[in-house]
Amino acid sequence: MTETQGTSSSPSRRALIGWGGAGLALGAAAAGGAVAAVKAGDDVDPVTAQTGAAVQFHGAHQAGIATPVQDRLHFAAFDVKTDDRAEFVQLLKDWTEAARRMTAGRTVGEGAYGGLAEAPPDDTGEALGLKPSRLTLTIGFGPSFFERFGLRDKRPEALVDLPPFPGDNLDRSRTGGDLCVQACADDPQVAVHAIRNLARIGFGKVAIRWSQLGFGKTSSTTPDAQTPRNLMGFKDGTRNVAGTETDRLKRFVWVQDGDGDRNAAWMTGGSYLVARRIRMNIETWDRTSLQEQEDVFGRDKGEGAPVGKAKEHDPPFLKAMKPDAHVRLAHPESNNGITILRRGYSFTDGTDGLGRLDAGLFFLAYQRDPRKGFVPLQRKLSASDALNEYIQHVGSAVFAVPPGVRDKHDWWGRTLLTEEA
């Protein structure tokens, strides 16, 4: 909530029975006819965005970062259970093939029915007949992953353990993870189907540590699009990095070959993801006066204009805002130009047992280096942001997100896990 800016063939059905019935359960069903594709990492015009089109899986960068933000999210953090490096590499190859097909709207294997009656179907079936819905799948590796498979000297220096911040109340069951997969789509069933089937393929090798469903994107990577609103009713993410802003993406989001991290040559073209589950004190906020709400953010609630301005995108005059206003503290001009790319979502997970909504923001931010992005920014916000009275960070994780899958012979994590690489 900041003002910032080589492939293996799919396993045989009989081989999958040997995985304990996990099955290679994949694929949103084919949408029928030609599927419009969008270049990964680029923007798309709004008409294409509404057709249920497929987003190109292959590219220099993983889709789901600079890609136009979809409406729904299913995010999952996994713990690795196998100690066999070769087995884990094969899993990543299988996952890549699964992701390649699901994002194209295709099934894998023999589908959800019509196959061997004595074995589980290859596909769980809940996405049959649905369009690809711009599904993107994005993988990352957490700090704890590098304690495995002899990879300690490959942990990037930028992949720091996030320090404790004032006001944090982190739930260990919603924090950390060896791996993450971010599934974004315009249809929630397509996103859930993707995570469900990756978990099936990984049975016995990985297990979900925690997950989060999200709705209502709270930021946009599409130029000139209407800025989404968060659950506090305010426009969120004004002047976020856009998918078409090549120069800003290169400067603030993508890891460059010259970043000087001897451990991270494999990360060139990748990015670093910070995920934070931010609980909102909805009931308290809803009883707060409009004037105070606007003072807290430094913007008006209707138009989203900064204090003293008429339009949302008018340049803010930060000194006109209260010293602890969120926009004033988080703006790049107040932070030596710090800029992150945001892809957050609203969430609501029922109530907390005391009649209060368990709701808030699932914050997702991509950046070139968390030590120069999220960490200093959050230190400042957690110390003096007026918004802290109404929010609390209750979950946290950081991941190194490798570069994209280049072609049909490539696979997730190849640059890290291939000895030759």
Side-chain angles (χ1 to χ4, degrees), residues 58-401:
H58 298 134
H61 314 292
Q62 289 195 62
I65 302 174
T67 307
V69 184
Q70 303 92 319
D71 291 332
R72 303 289 181 145
L73 167 79
H74 191 189
F75 187 95
F78 293 82
D79 286 333
V80 176
K81 298 300 183 182
T82 180
D83 293 322
D84 186 325
R85 178 176 174 135
E87 184 178 53
F88 181 76
V89 166
Q90 186 59 51
L91 170 63
L92 289 180
K93 292 179 178 180
D94 294 339
W95 267 12
T96 304
E97 179 62 16
R100 183 181 286 117
R101 297 185 66 86
M102 284 194 287
T103 54
R106 300 201 299 270
T107 58
V108 172
E110 298 175 19
Y113 57 88
L116 189 66
E118 293 77 18
D122 286 344
D123 192 294
T124 52
E126 73 273 24
L128 287 172
L130 300 179
K131 294 180 179 180
S133 300
R134 295 194 300 137
L135 172 67
T136 56
L137 292 165
T138 313
I139 195 171
F141 301 101
S144 57
F145 177 75
F146 294 87
E147 298 301 313
R148 299 177 174 274
F149 308 128
L151 294 172
R152 188 169 296 179
D153 64 349
K154 292 292 185 72
R155 176 176 171 175
E157 294 172 7
L159 186 62
V160 293
D161 293 302
L162 295 180
F165 298 104
D168 278 4
N169 185 22
L170 301 183
D171 179 350
R172 291 179 60 85
S173 68
R174 294 181 180 272
T175 295
D178 294 332
L179 301 170
C180 75
V181 179
Q182 170 194 282
C184 298
D186 289 325
D187 187 323
Q189 192 143 316
V190 170
V192 169
H193 171 266
I195 295 294
R196 177 182 177 183
N197 284 284
L198 292 180
R200 284 190 72 191
I201 295 168
F203 181 81
K205 304 171 189 66
V206 295
I208 291 181
R209 179 182 178 89
W210 56 269
S211 67
Q212 181 67 57
L213 294 173
F215 68 92
K217 60 188 178 186
T218 61
S219 55
S220 173
T221 56
T222 305
D224 303 322
Q226 177 174 316
T227 304
R229 293 181 184 268
N230 57 36
L231 290 183
M232 290 177 164
F234 279 76
K235 291 186 176 181
D236 209 348
T238 298
R239 195 64 184 105
N240 192 33
V241 180
T244 52
E245 294 182 300
T246 306
D247 290 344
R248 291 182 84 205
L249 288 168
K250 182 176 180 180
R251 181 179 178 189
F252 297 115
V253 179
W254 306 131
V255 176
Q256 302 299 312
D257 190 37
D259 281 353
D261 187 340
R262 61 183 178 82
N263 296 338
W266 63 273
M267 273 291 291
T268 299
S271 189
Y272 293 94
L273 169 63
V274 171
R276 304 278 284 185
R277 189 178 191 269
I278 304 174
R279 171 89 180 268
M280 292 179 178
N281 302 323
I282 295 291
E283 291 77 16
T284 303
W285 178 258
D286 289 346
R287 295 194 299 272
T288 300
S289 70
L290 175 61
Q291 184 62 61
E292 182 173 345
Q293 289 185 2
E294 292 184 336
D295 286 344
V296 165
F297 275 98
R299 291 183 177 273
D300 74 66
K301 198 167 187 176
E303 170 61 28
V307 171
K309 302 289 185 173
K311 299 294 183 182
E312 176 193 351
H313 293 282
D314 288 346
F317 180 51
L318 299 180
K319 291 183 179 179
M321 303 174 188
K322 293 198 169 183
D324 59 357
H326 180 71
V327 169
R328 179 170 179 173
L329 291 173
H331 197 277
E333 289 181 13
S334 300
N335 296 282
N336 298 314
I338 289 176
T339 302
I340 56 180
L341 184 154
R342 302 175 49 208
R343 287 186 67 93
Y345 286 83
S346 294
F347 72 85
T348 180
D349 292 331
T351 61
D352 63 0
L354 298 175
R356 299 173 301 193
L357 283 174
D358 182 5
L361 168 67
F362 190 65
F363 174 90
L364 296 167
Y366 288 89
Q367 62 236 270
R368 186 169 166 180
D369 187 338
R371 298 170 299 178
K372 301 175 183 178
F374 177 80
V375 172
L377 188 59
Q378 183 58 25
R379 277 186 174 137
K380 184 173 186 177
L381 292 175
S382 60
S384 54
D385 190 353
L387 192 57
N388 292 336
E389 181 179 348
Y390 303 98
I391 64 173
Q392 188 168 59
H393 291 237
V394 296
S396 179
V398 60
F399 300 96
V401 177

